[in-house]
Amino acid sequence: MPSPYGPRAETGPPGLAAKLLGFCEELRGEGVAVGTSEILDAFAALEQVPWTSRDDFREALATTIAKSQEDRRLFELLFERWFFRAAEAEAIERGIEETERRHEGGERLDLDELREQVRQAILEGDDGEMRDLARLAISAFGRQGEGSGVVGVDVQRIRRTLGLSAGTQAPAEDGAAELPPIDREQLNAFERHLRRELERDLIERTSTLPPSRPLAELDRALPTSPTQDLAAVHRAVSQMKRRLATLGQEQRGRRKGRTVDVRRTMRASLETGGVPMHLRYRPKRPRRPEIYVLCDVSTSVTSASVFFLSVLHALHDSFRKLRSFVFIERISEVTDVFEHERDFRVIAQRISSEGGVADVSGYTDYGRVWLEFLGQISDELDPRSTVIVLGDARTNGREPHADVFAQVSERAGRLFWLNPEPRLYWNYGDSVMAAYERYCDGAFECWTTRHLENFVNVVAGGVPAET
Amino acid sequence: MAAGSVTEVKEALAKVGYLADEPAALVSFLAQRLEKPVLVEGPAGVGKTELAKALSRATGRELIRLQCYEGLDEAKALYEWNYRKQLLRIQAGGEDGWEDVHGDIFDKEFLLERPLLQAIASPEPVVLLIDEIDKTDQEFEAMLLELLSDFQITIPELGQVSATTMPIVVLTSNNSRELTEALKRRCLYLWLDYPDLEREMEIVRLRAPELPEALARRMVEVVRMIRALDLKKPPSIAESIDWARTLLLMGAEDIDKQTFEQSMSIIVKHRTDIELVAERVGVKLAEPVRPQG
């Protein structure tokens, strides 16, 4: 009988070593870097722990194989699946079946009684009990002949038949005592048991093991939260921090103001019998770079500016010497807002209400912005400073003042432009990107965190990632 | 502590006042058995450094600590020649030939041992704590590799110094940057997170035994509520303990609005955080009960 899950997968050679290697292979398939040395460590660790304890076994593997929090998450997901499958494969191989046990009990149990017991087990969070009841429920359910053959569908059907739902329970019909609410987590645990047992059932019935599939993106992702995107931006920015901080400093201003390092000079003098022949200097510590970020918040970039503001927000968390400006027609410094406010939504609100950047028309005027920017901080720009512009370079037909922009570029050490539009749209319509791009050390399209990471990579002198 | 089994390690750690959870105990056990360094990551204030200290107390080994910072170099971490003493030797030698002097001044006697060399050369087994490794640069990490995989240090003038006894090495990181693959590969990995409610209660009650159970539970619940907010610096375990002691000193019987506002600065230490916490958590607490009459 063909399984709805497709053909049977290879079970591979027998023995734990082979199983472990297969497990590592699967981890690699999901992007966890498992090297040979990790595998050797894992085997060494397994010699030290009792295999009878599932927890110890799993922890010993995890500590040697999964070397970051994200790897650990993938490890947990795959561990469950792999060893479940391995056990089932072995059972098929040896022709072990549980058919006998499976149908006893299910016959004489009536649904109401089962429902009560399941509810009780879920409330108590009793794992073993839940598993047994899941089996009973499946066999009782199977008797009604409604199995669809698709595990996910069946799980939900059984759950509904049993009348289980998370949260506060609907009052019982016969006016009995009110039922206590069911915890969402616990209900999920019961559903997991159902799923597992259904899969087991299916594998046994068809004696085929469906091939394992890669984890869905959904499973891989970290637990969702409303600020998840913000978190991704923060990650990319914290990488950027390191790279900006250590880049391009070493060649600047080497000769000036060096101080003699007495300790190292004396140390070096030993080679010449204690006569200090060669002076040694204190290494110049790279000064922290100053960063100026200019962010367009006009309506043409509305969708992008939320993203840009979150970039700014993340930058402020990472850099102490960061000054940020927002502009539409005029420019306004908002460093203070970011420094005193944590909540992203409040920041967005304050900037839109207090920024004072819109004048009459509400259209971006890049030329005027450069003039004002240069006027405000021209004295402070020096070769150590980095200027990052976030904007679409759409001037609405106004004078772009590329010459002023060139002056900014000349004074600042580095100047990058992040454009929220695809490269394809640059220089079409009123976009004057080309006029500015020639003065930039780099211009990038940037509207997702991927692009942001790409920018960070390029800045660090790496290879641009595929987008 | 001979590290006979995971349970023994766990008990030994508990005996010196560190309540380890299952993974932490297992990794400590494996670290001793496999003689591999442990990389501990996790948010600030979950007891990463404390784990190393507890291991040192539990095993009766000396703790050697290397605090990392930006710009830490070999001379501060590994070893340095004591040039003053070397100079004196050269001058005091007077008539000695260069050969004699040369052989002499690059001797152990003129070597200043810094923490890493100290840990390797120590005749007694030690616990080596390399704290906040993520604060250093990648170059320093690369330098650590020889030490971590072979437990030896190469000094050009002297040759290799190998460990005679195996130190337990604990590296901690606040995850402020990705560590290199090469470093991670050589370590066992342990992720420490904030403990769950029951365990944090145990920890608090271990350190502040006089605190009534009901109050301790209430307190830990509030702390967990605060951690759930998006704060610049969420309260650490050490701060929960401090708060517990403060509540004891204040003679508080329950955490009501007034007590909370008075003692909040113990656990929340950032101005914007304080505002946020007062706004979100403060309002959920009951008004103080006014004495009747």
Side-chain angles (χ1 to χ4, degrees), chain B residues 33-235:
Chain B
R33 277 306 185 81
L34 303 181
E35 298 178 339
K36 289 193 76 104
V38 184
L39 171 64
V40 191
E41 280 193 320
V46 290
K48 298 188 291 290
T49 309
E50 199 53 41
L51 175 64
K53 290 185 187 164
L55 272 173
S56 120
R57 287 197 300 269
T59 50
R61 297 177 175 203
E62 191 198 343
L63 179 76
I64 295 180
R65 178 171 180 166
L66 175 68
Q67 178 70 45
C68 295
Y69 51 86
E70 219 172 307
L72 177 68
D73 59 3
E74 293 177 34
K76 304 260 174 54
L78 279 177
Y79 66 91
E80 196 177 12
W81 290 108
N82 189 346
Y83 74 87
R84 270 172 255 177
K85 209 166 165 190
Q86 283 174 327
L87 269 185
L88 280 177
R89 166 68 187 83
I90 291 168
Q91 284 162 2
E95 303 302 306
D96 286 357
W98 169 243
E99 283 306 313
D100 292 342
V101 177
H102 181 266
D104 244 21
I105 59 172
F106 290 112
D107 191 55
K108 280 235 167 71
E109 197 193 336
F110 296 94
L111 202 62
L112 290 175
E113 289 185 353
R114 302 294 187 207
L116 294 184
L117 184 61
Q118 228 178 327
I120 290 287
S122 160
E124 297 291 316
V126 296
V127 174
L128 172 64
L129 167 63
I130 303 177
D131 215 0
E132 304 192 330
I133 175 82
D134 52 333
K135 294 265 169 68
T136 59
D137 353 84
Q138 281 179 356
E139 293 73 27
F140 184 78
E141 245 178 67
M143 197 206 74
L144 273 181
L145 296 181
E146 185 191 7
L147 175 82
L148 293 183
S149 54
D150 302 332
F151 290 99
Q152 66 181 32
I153 289 172
T154 309
I155 301 174
E157 294 88 345
L158 283 182
Q160 281 172 357
V161 181
S162 297
T164 45
T165 54
M166 277 298 165
I168 300 176
V169 184
V170 179
L171 300 100
T172 75
S173 155
N174 283 332
N175 219 358
S176 76
R177 73 177 169 89
E178 275 292 301
L179 300 174
T180 55
E181 283 293 321
L183 181 80
K184 284 184 171 179
R185 186 154 294 150
R186 284 165 174 79
C187 300
L188 299 173
Y189 182 83
L190 173 66
W191 172 266
L192 276 187
D193 214 334
Y194 292 115
D196 56 27
L197 190 125
E198 295 302 325
R199 210 162 70 79
E200 184 156 14
M201 279 241 327
E202 275 181 58
I203 296 172
V204 167
R205 299 205 64 210
L206 184 76
R207 296 300 182 86
E210 301 89 10
L211 199 69
E213 182 164 352
L215 184 57
R217 176 172 293 272
R218 182 88 186 106
M219 193 205 87
V220 173
E221 277 169 4
V222 173
V223 169
R224 290 170 66 82
M225 221 147 70
I226 296 174
R227 278 190 198 134
L229 301 172
D230 176 30
L231 296 185
K232 270 198 169 155
K233 200 202 145 302

Side-chain angles (χ1 to χ4, degrees), chain A residues 116-129:
Chain A
E116 239 356 271
Q117 286 189 10
V118 171
R119 200 180 286 279
Q120 201 57 38
I122 290 179
L123 281 178
E124 284 165 11
D126 183 339
D127 227 37
E129 189 73 18

Side-chain angles (χ1 to χ4, degrees), chain A residues 37-38 41 44-45 48-49 56 59-60 63-64 66-69 242 263 266-267 270 340 342, chain B residues 23 26-27 29 33-34 36 80-81 83 86-87 90 177 184-185 187-189 191 230 232 271-272:
Chain A
S37 68
E38 264 103 352
D41 284 349
Q48 307 292 339
V49 297
D56 283 352
E59 288 302 327
T63 187
T64 45
K67 302 270 169 92
S68 75
Q69 210 190 355
R242 218 192 123 62
R263 194 184 68 192
M266 297 309 275
R267 161 82 180 80
L270 288 177
H340 291 130
R342 282 283 300 160
Chain B
L26 184 92
V27 172
F29 166 72
R33 277 306 185 81
L34 303 181
K36 289 193 76 104
E80 196 177 12
W81 290 108
Y83 74 87
Q86 283 174 327
L87 269 185
I90 291 168
R177 73 177 169 89
K184 284 184 171 179
R185 186 154 294 150
C187 300
L188 299 173
Y189 182 83
W191 172 266
D230 176 30
K232 270 198 169 155
R271 198 176 58 80
T272 50

Side-chain angles (χ1 to χ4, degrees), chain A residues 449-467:
Chain A
T449 45
R450 254 196 100 89
H451 289 125
L452 191 64
E453 279 166 22
N454 184 40
F455 165 65
V456 174
N457 274 337
V458 173
V459 167
V463 188
E466 288 296 317
T467 45

Side-chain angles (χ1 to χ4, degrees), chain B residues 6-25:
Chain B
V6 182
T7 338
E8 277 175 46
V9 173
K10 197 170 176 176
E11 277 162 11
L13 285 173
K15 216 173 275 170
V16 292
Y18 188 90
L19 299 176
D21 57 1
E22 203 56 51

